Amino acid sequence: MKKPGLIAITIILTSLFFTSPGYAQLQIVITQGVDDPVQIAIVPFEWNGFGLLEEDVAEIVKTNLQNSGEFRAIAEANMLSTPHEEQEVFFRDWRFLGADYLLIGKVVDNGAGGPLQVQYDFFDVLREDNLISEVVSAGRNQLRDVSHAISDKVFEEVTGVRGAFSTKILYVTSQRINADLTYYQLNMSDADGGRSQVLLNSQEPIMSPNWSPDGQKIAYVSFESTRPRIYMQELATGGREMLTEFTGINSSPVFSPDGTKMAMVLSKDGNPDIYVMDLRTRDLRRVTNHFAIDTEPSWTPDGESLIFTSERGGNSRPQIYQVSLDSGWVERLTFQGTYNSKGLMLPDGVNLLMIHRENTGDEYHLAIQNIERGTIFELTSTALDESPSIAPNASMVIYASKAGDRGILNAVSIDGRVKFQLPSAQGDVREPSWSPFFD
Amino acid sequence: MQTFKAFKLGMALMMAIALASCASSDTEDMSDSSDMGMESSSSAASSSSATSNAADMGDGLTARERQQRDDSLAMTVFYFEFDRSDLSAEARAALVHHANYLKSNPSARYRLEGHADERGTREYNLALGERRAQAVERYLQVQGVSSNQLETISYGEENPVDTRTTEAAYALNRRVEVH
C-alpha cells in the first residue's frame, strides 16, 4: 500500500467514531453517463486463503469505475476465461468481447497472521500491453481502501486524470421528528457514500462543513449553543475548539489553500461581512466593509483573493464578487441572471462555479461562468441546487438539491456529461463537502 | 422566552380576574387564580404588574383597546415577502404593543429568530434571516425599547415550519419568531 497516511487515518477513524451502517448511508445511482464509455473487463479476483473476505475488491473497483460514468464493465457471464495472473491472459478472448482494457488479480493470505497480498494487473487489450502490475499489502479491514486505490490508478491510466475514489465527503443530515425536535448529524463517508460515520450529533442546526487542505481537520458551524458558532475539529482525535462566538452571524468557515488562514462571515459589526482569521495567532482581519450582505467566501486557487456573494448591487439580488486580499480591490464577476451565489473558482482560475437563477422563477441551477468570456453553462436540470463542492481532481461537482420534499445529494461532471445521485434511505441530506486528496 | 411566557400567564390571570370581578365583587376569587400558574411564574416583575393593573384596571384602556393589545401580544410570528425584510402594517401595529410591554417590563427579554425559505443558497439565507430579525429589532428600538432587552438570531433556511416545496410552505417559512 503506497498510501500509509490514508490507512492510518482510516484505522483511527474507524476505531474512534461510532459507525452507523444503514442510517443516512448514501449510495450512488447513475442518472447519466457518457455516450461512448470505455469498455473494461474486470475479472473477479481469486481468493487464496481461509474464510470469507468481507470486501470484493473487483466488485468495488467495477462499481467505482462505472459510477464515474466514463466506463462500462463487460458482463461477467460473457467472459470466455477468468485469468488471475498475466500468463493466463489470452488477449483475443477480450478483443472478441470488445474490451478496451482488462483488470485481473488475486488476494493471497500467506498465513502467520500477516497482512493480505493484493496482486493485480491492468492491460491495454488492443496493444496487449501490461500498464500496471502491483502487489499491495493490506489488513483484512483495509480491502476497501485498496479497492479505491486500484480504482484511482486505473482511472488515471485511462483518462489521464487522477482518480478521486480514495477521497471522502462530509455532509449534513437532518431528521425531523416533529415541529420542536429535529436531529442533525454531521457525517463523513467515502466518496461513494460507503462507510459513513457520524462526527457530530445535535438537536440544533449544523452548517457549512469544510476541509483543511491536508484533510486532517474540518470546520463547520453548529447552533448547539442555540447560536451559530464556528468550530474546528481534528479528525484523528475528534478534539475540537470553538473559533468564534461573536454576536450575530458566525458562518461560512473556509480554510485557505495553504491551511494557515480561515475565511469566514461575521455580522458582529451590524451586518454580514467577510473576515479572514490567521489560524496561528487567531487575529481577525476584516476584508469587506459594506452595509449590504457579504457572505459565502471561497478562496481563489492562488490564495490571494476571495470570491464572495453580495447584494451590494441592489434589488435584493445577490451577485458574485472577487476581492483582492492585498489591495482590497473589489470586482464584480457576474452580470447575467437574477441570482448568482456561492461562487467557487475552478483550479484553472477562469471558470467560476456558482448557483445561478436566470430569470425570476424558482430555477436555481448549478452553472459555470467563464469569467473571461462571460458565457454561462448550466450543468443541471435539478431546480433547487445549492452547496456545490468540487472534487479534488476537479472532474466532478457534488451538490445538494431536492427530490420531492426531501433533500438529496447529486453529482455532475464539470462538462455536464455524467450525472449521479446519492440518495439516503431516510431524512434530508445536504451541504456536501468533498475532501482533498489525502497525500 | 421565560419572561414572555410569564407575561402571557400574567395576562391570562388578569383577564380571569377581570371576568371574575365582573361576575361578582367577591375578591376572594383572586386566590383561586393562583392555580393558574401565578406561583410557577418565573418573573415577579410581570406578575406584579399584572396584579397592580388588575387591582384598579387603571390602564386607561377601553375593553376593545385591551382586546387589541392582547391580540397583538399573542401575535409572535411575523411573515415576510420573498427576498424582503420590510414589516407589514399588521406586524408594525402588533409590534407597538410588544414595545409597550417591553418598556413597562424592563427585565423582559425577547429573542428574535429570523428565518428564510429554502430557495437560494444557505449562507445567503442565513444573512436574509438575520436581516428580518433585525428589522423587528429596529422597529422595537424605534418605539423606545432598550437594545439590551433584544437579541437577534438567524436560522436561515435551517428550521422550516413547513418542509414542503410549495409557495404556501415558503410563505410560512419566511418569518421572525418572538421568543
Side-chain angles (χ1 to χ4, degrees):
Chain A
M1 188 71 192
K2 289 179 178 173
K3 299 190 171 179
L6 172 57
I7 293 254
I9 294 166
T10 311
I11 294 167
I12 293 164
L13 287 174
T14 314
S15 58
L16 273 180
F17 294 116
F18 170 64
T19 314
S20 60
Y23 179 66
Q25 185 93 15
L26 311 176
Q27 201 160 16
I28 292 177
V29 180
I30 283 273
T31 51
Q32 181 184 317
V34 299
D35 294 334
D36 51 346
V38 171
Q39 304 286 322
I40 186 169
I42 300 175
V43 179
F45 282 22
E46 186 179 53
W47 162 228
N48 293 333
F50 293 106
L52 290 171
L53 287 178
E54 280 184 28
E55 305 286 4
D56 181 338
V57 175
E59 188 63 30
I60 295 170
V61 173
K62 186 170 93 180
T63 304
N64 278 343
L65 293 175
Q66 292 208 117
N67 284 347
S68 75
E70 306 276 356
F71 290 82
R72 208 187 64 164
I74 283 166
E76 207 181 307
N78 295 339
M79 292 180 184
L80 304 172
S81 54
T82 54
H84 304 297
E85 293 182 25
E86 181 161 12
Q87 59 265 33
E88 297 166 0
V89 172
F90 296 98
F91 285 106
R92 64 169 189 278
D93 290 354
W94 305 101
R95 273 197 301 274
F96 175 75
L97 293 173
D100 302 312
Y101 295 92
L102 169 67
L103 178 70
I104 63 169
K106 58 183 177 181
V107 183
V108 179
D109 185 353
N110 289 326
L116 303 176
Q117 306 293 313
V118 180
Q119 177 192 317
Y120 71 96
D121 290 273
F122 182 59
F123 303 95
D124 181 325
V125 171
L126 297 181
R127 293 181 182 170
E128 305 194 357
D129 194 8
N130 189 329
L131 300 172
I132 309 172
S133 181
E134 199 176 17
V135 182
V136 180
S137 294
R140 279 182 179 241
N141 61 349
Q142 295 169 332
L143 287 175
R144 190 162 276 271
D145 297 303
V146 171
S147 308
H148 289 327
I150 295 172
S151 308
D152 286 341
K153 293 203 167 174
V154 168
F155 186 85
E156 181 165 6
E157 188 67 39
V158 174
T159 66
V161 176
R162 184 174 177 182
F165 303 106
S166 296
T167 56
K168 294 191 175 287
I169 52 172
L170 298 169
Y171 55 94
V172 176
T173 54
S174 74
Q175 258 202 312
R176 190 185 175 93
I177 307 302
N178 57 49
D180 297 320
L181 180 61
T182 301
Y183 291 112
Y184 300 86
Q185 292 183 319
L186 176 60
N187 307 272
M188 178 173 67
S189 74
D190 289 358
D192 63 3
R195 294 190 291 195
S196 70
Q197 302 160 345
V198 177
L199 302 183
L200 182 69
N201 275 300
S202 181
Q203 292 181 28
E204 296 289 338
I206 301 167
M207 291 181 73
S208 311
N210 181 260
W211 292 88
S212 67
D214 63 3
Q216 307 293 305
K217 291 193 283 281
I218 59 171
Y220 53 85
V221 173
S222 169
F223 284 66
E224 63 199 64
S225 66
T226 77
R227 294 170 180 83
R229 302 288 183 245
I230 295 172
Y231 295 82
M232 184 164 69
Q233 185 161 329
E234 199 168 326
L235 287 172
T237 63
R240 63 178 200 147
E241 57 182 313
M242 185 166 63
L243 288 183
T244 65
E245 51 172 337
F246 294 105
T247 301
I249 288 173
N250 299 252
S251 78
S252 315
V254 190
F255 285 95
S256 62
D258 67 2
T260 63
K261 294 186 277 295
M262 186 181 288
M264 59 182 64
V265 173
L266 304 171
S267 67
K268 64 191 181 70
D269 298 314
N271 74 304
D273 276 306
I274 312 289
Y275 291 75
V276 169
M277 177 182 278
D278 184 317
L279 289 174
R280 290 163 300 195
T281 62
R282 300 295 156 89
D283 289 342
L284 265 183
R285 181 184 153 199
R286 187 173 187 165
V287 177
T288 68
N289 189 346
H290 197 284
F291 56 83
I293 291 170
D294 291 341
T295 186
E296 299 174 346
S298 67
W299 297 80
T300 53
D302 62 12
E304 290 178 5
S305 299
L306 292 174
I307 306 292
F308 66 100
T309 305
S310 178
E311 39 104 74
R312 58 182 64 196
N315 296 327
S316 296
R317 287 182 172 175
Q319 295 290 346
I320 297 170
Y321 295 76
Q322 178 169 349
V323 57
S324 159
L325 291 171
D326 189 35
S327 66
W329 175 257
V330 175
E331 185 186 357
R332 181 169 168 176
L333 299 180
T334 57
F335 295 90
Q336 183 186 330
T338 56
Y339 191 113
N340 292 302
S341 68
K342 192 74 184 176
L344 295 172
M345 193 64 83
L346 286 164
D348 61 16
V350 177
N351 286 296
L352 177 72
L353 188 71
M354 61 191 186
I355 300 300
H356 171 74
R357 186 182 70 186
E358 183 67 25
N359 299 308
T360 52
D362 279 348
E363 301 270 308
Y364 296 79
H365 294 298
L366 186 61
I368 290 180
Q369 174 178 310
N370 181 306
I371 60 166
E372 286 174 356
R373 295 196 299 256
T375 50
I376 290 180
F377 169 52
E378 287 187 353
L379 289 173
T380 62
S381 50
T382 40
L384 287 168
D385 300 352
E386 58 186 2
S387 310
S389 176
I390 304 170
N393 64 4
S395 67
M396 301 286 293
V397 181
I398 193 167
Y399 66 99
S401 74
K402 286 195 100 177
D405 293 334
R406 286 180 54 195
I408 67 162
L409 303 188
N410 300 269
V412 58
S413 60
I414 287 290
D415 59 13
R417 292 193 306 163
V418 178
K419 290 175 182 167
F420 64 81
Q421 295 181 338
L422 282 149
S424 165
Q426 48 186 322
D428 285 287
V429 194
R430 54 180 178 248
E431 295 206 85
S433 179
W434 210 315
S435 79
F437 290 119
F438 288 96
D439 57 3
Chain B
M1 193 62 200
Q2 281 298 324
T3 40
F4 189 67
K5 273 184 181 150
F7 167 76
K8 283 187 182 166
L9 280 170
M11 289 301 295
L13 181 60
M14 202 177 101
M15 288 158 73
I17 292 163
L19 283 170
S21 52
C22 287
S24 87
S25 60
D26 185 357
T27 52
E28 292 303 310
D29 283 354
M30 282 185 76
S31 60
D32 294 338
S33 56
S34 64
D35 294 336
M36 296 180 65
M38 182 75 130
E39 285 160 357
S40 67
S41 162
S42 61
S43 166
S46 59
S47 303
S48 65
S49 79
T51 309
S52 66
N53 279 345
D56 59 3
M57 301 292 284
D59 53 12
L61 297 178
T62 65
R64 190 169 161 209
E65 286 168 336
R66 206 170 287 120
Q67 186 62 45
Q68 269 176 355
R69 177 194 63 193
D70 297 345
D71 289 348
S72 292
L73 290 171
M75 187 190 288
T76 58
V77 185
F78 303 96
Y79 298 96
F80 296 81
E81 295 299 308
F82 177 61
D83 250 347
R84 301 301 296 259
S85 58
D86 33 343
L87 296 165
S88 66
E90 187 190 23
R92 288 198 299 272
L95 285 169
V96 169
H97 292 288
H98 282 281
N100 290 337
Y101 164 70
L102 286 166
K103 282 187 286 183
S104 52
N105 296 277
S107 64
R109 298 276 183 279
Y110 275 11
R111 179 180 154 105
L112 307 169
E113 296 181 354
H115 300 266
D117 70 36
E118 67 178 352
R119 290 173 290 180
T121 48
R122 287 185 177 268
E123 288 144 340
Y124 184 72
N125 283 336
L126 193 66
L128 273 184
E130 181 182 67
R131 180 179 285 172
R132 287 173 181 148
Q134 286 174 340
V136 174
E137 179 186 44
R138 203 168 302 119
Y139 192 79
L140 291 170
Q141 285 173 351
V142 166
Q143 306 302 317
V145 175
S146 163
S147 59
N148 61 28
Q149 288 178 274
L150 303 170
E151 180 188 19
T152 59
I153 302 289
S154 177
Y155 283 92
E157 63 175 279
E158 308 302 315
N159 228 339
V161 169
D162 189 331
T163 56
R164 286 172 298 174
T165 307
T166 63
E167 283 298 330
Y170 295 157
L172 285 175
N173 292 335
R174 291 189 301 267
R175 70 200 192 277
V176 169
E177 293 182 7
V178 173
H179 289 282

